[in-house]
Amino acid sequence: MSGADAQVQPRKTGLTRRQKRALSRGAQYVVFVAVVIAFAVTADWGRLKNQFAQWDLVKQMFPDVITLALKNTVLYTMSGFVVGLVLGMVIALMRLSPVGPYRWVAGVYIEIFRGLPALLIFVFVGVAVPLAFPGTEIPGGTYGKVALALGLVSAAYMAETIRAGIQAVPKGQMEAARSLGFSHARAMVSIIIPQAFRIVIPPLTNELVLLFKDSSLVLFLGVTLEERELTKFGRDLASQTANSTPILVAGLCYLLVTVPLGFVVRRLEAKAGEATK
């Protein structure tokens, strides 16, 4: 064998990296389609329809599911969001304060209310507060209790989000404001906090979506027929009819709000990403 022949390299016959990726994606698509077909073939659609798709029950729920249940759910969510936002702002500023006790109190609050289940907070507001302060009524009745409970839960998360937003603002902004004669407090209110909120709008909107779902815990406070939200409304009708269609309709009503909010979050995140480029 000549030296030239000995130097000939064997031809590579394996798949390229791009071909391997394409083959992997194709296999995943095949598995997904196979699972969908298996589910469609093996599911008992008749029983599912009888239990979750009774059109007569759907018509029976309207318009109360919108004018009463969905309206109350939105009111509970927005009131809790406002309380949580205000309280979260205060706690975030305490967390950033140079005063030690403020930081300690804010840190303890965040760790406690971020670690406890939301259900326990509702029980605390509905049971422990009246026991601790006899004769004291939370303003707004059930709406006030829900706003307080949701606000306490969300404030811990919002405080950390707002704190991160404030710290993300370049330090030069504060230095420039102070050089122009702004006090520290005025610079925070007029310059730093507005910029921080532009940064944290997407995560705060996401927190609103979570609060919308957590509003279902209002049933543990004990509500009247006129104060029911979507989950309570659907469960009551499902118990009366021994059918799960009302629960499915209530779930779809949640999607009427959460899906558009999710779209808003993605758009805000995209705009924020473009602004940082």
Side-chain angles (χ1 to χ4, degrees), residues 138-170:
I138 297 176
T142 300
Y143 293 95
K145 293 178 182 178
V146 176
L148 178 60
L150 289 178
L152 290 173
V153 172
S154 62
Y157 296 95
M158 291 189 189
E160 287 294 86
T161 300
I162 295 171
R163 178 187 63 82
I166 291 175
Q167 291 180 325
V169 177

Side-chain angles (χ1 to χ4, degrees), residues 14-66:
L15 297 176
T16 65
R17 185 176 300 176
R18 179 177 299 179
Q19 290 173 331
K20 290 179 180 179
R21 287 199 300 264
L23 184 61
S24 176
R25 284 196 299 267
Q28 293 176 34
Y29 290 143
V30 170
V31 172
F32 174 76
V33 172
V35 171
V36 172
I37 293 175
F39 173 77
V41 171
T42 58
D44 190 337
W45 295 103
R47 296 182 64 182
L48 287 174
K49 180 180 178 181
N50 290 334
Q51 188 64 24
F52 292 99
Q54 291 295 319
W55 182 245
D56 291 340
L57 293 179
V58 174
K59 292 189 293 184
Q60 184 179 338
M61 296 180 67
F62 286 87
D64 289 346
V65 68
I66 300 296

Side-chain angles (χ1 to χ4, degrees), residues 54 68 115 124 183 224:
Q54 291 295 319
L68 176 67
F124 171 79
S183 65
T224 65

Side-chain angles (χ1 to χ4, degrees), residues 144-221:
K145 293 178 182 178
V146 176
L148 178 60
L150 289 178
L152 290 173
V153 172
S154 62
Y157 296 95
M158 291 189 189
E160 287 294 86
T161 300
I162 295 171
R163 178 187 63 82
I166 291 175
Q167 291 180 325
V169 177
K171 294 182 179 180
Q173 296 290 316
M174 174 62 76
E175 296 171 355
R178 296 302 300 273
S179 67
L180 293 174
F182 284 67
S183 65
H184 184 274
R186 185 183 174 190
M188 284 292 292
V189 173
S190 302
I191 297 175
I192 305 301
I193 291 179
Q195 293 186 61
F197 266 94
R198 283 196 292 270
I199 297 172
V200 302
I201 282 178
L204 287 182
T205 308
N206 196 44
E207 181 64 27
L208 180 61
V209 174
L210 297 177
L211 278 182
F212 190 75
K213 295 184 293 184
D214 285 343
S215 65
S216 61
L217 296 174
V218 68
L219 61 92
F220 291 99
L221 295 178

Side-chain angles (χ1 to χ4, degrees), residues 72-84:
N72 284 336
T73 300
V74 172
L75 289 176
Y76 292 148
T77 302
M78 295 308 300
S79 59
F81 184 80
V82 171
V83 172

